[in-house]
Amino acid sequence: MVNRILVGAHYGLKDWIIQRATAVVMAVYTIVFLIVVAAVGPDSFEAWRGIFANGFMKFATFLFFVSVFYHAWIGVRDIWMDYVKPDGLRLLLMIATAAVLVGYAGWAVQILWRM
Amino acid sequence: MAEMAIKKKRPKNLDLPTIRLPLPGILSILHRVSGAGIFLLLPFLLWLFQGSLVSPETFASIRSVVAHPLAKIVLLGLLWFYMHHFCAGIRYLLLDLHKGVELDAARLSSKIVFAVSIVLTLIIGARVLW
């Protein structure tokens, strides 16, 4: 028999794992990006644009952005949960946070695929 | 063992101004502050990124924006936030794997996080912003 003391099933665990998985993606991308920039030494528009025109870097950069936004969602939501006590205001802030982050994701797609 | 320690009745002091945070505590709150700061400036960073990729003209105008002393200070601060969040985050991942959880090791690793993140900020900042 399972003796559950805390109610709820894995709410926290999924976010806990995603927070760390996205962190690893961002950390690896950061190192790759620094190496690429150091190797290319982009001084001109063409060289800078060339980095993100490359298929792999475009994909990796998109993955990085998605990781940033999902990671930010969990982190900022935790901040609202810790400090904002009125339920209505907290809900409003969470919705606003999710809304801007979804918007940023669309913006990032537009930047990368319309350049 | 850990559960026993948690259940024990301990004195509480929640008078924040009188609490002297140890270095790992300062690292921890800065992890949160830096994350919040980066979140708040995401639209500025996306705007810079977009401008840098649209055309040679917008690239040049973004360059002049970034050359402004105020923008340099903001970006240097953001760079430090990023590097702190990055280094402190790696420390937390290691703590999750039970690496360096002893008090001495945790204090030492928080010193390393501050040193490495500040040095990286200065090197990259000097290279990119100045």
Side-chain angles (χ1 to χ4, degrees), chain B residues 1-13:
Chain B
M1 191 60 187
E3 288 82 355
M4 289 292 284
I6 289 164
K7 276 178 188 156
K8 217 163 60 183
K9 265 203 177 269
R10 295 170 299 175
K12 274 184 195 158
N13 173 22

Side-chain angles (χ1 to χ4, degrees), chain B residues 26-44:
Chain B
I26 296 170
L27 175 146
S28 173
I29 190 62
L30 272 176
H31 194 68
R32 174 162 278 195
V33 170
S34 58
I38 293 167
F39 168 73
L40 290 175
L41 283 167
L42 278 178
F44 175 57

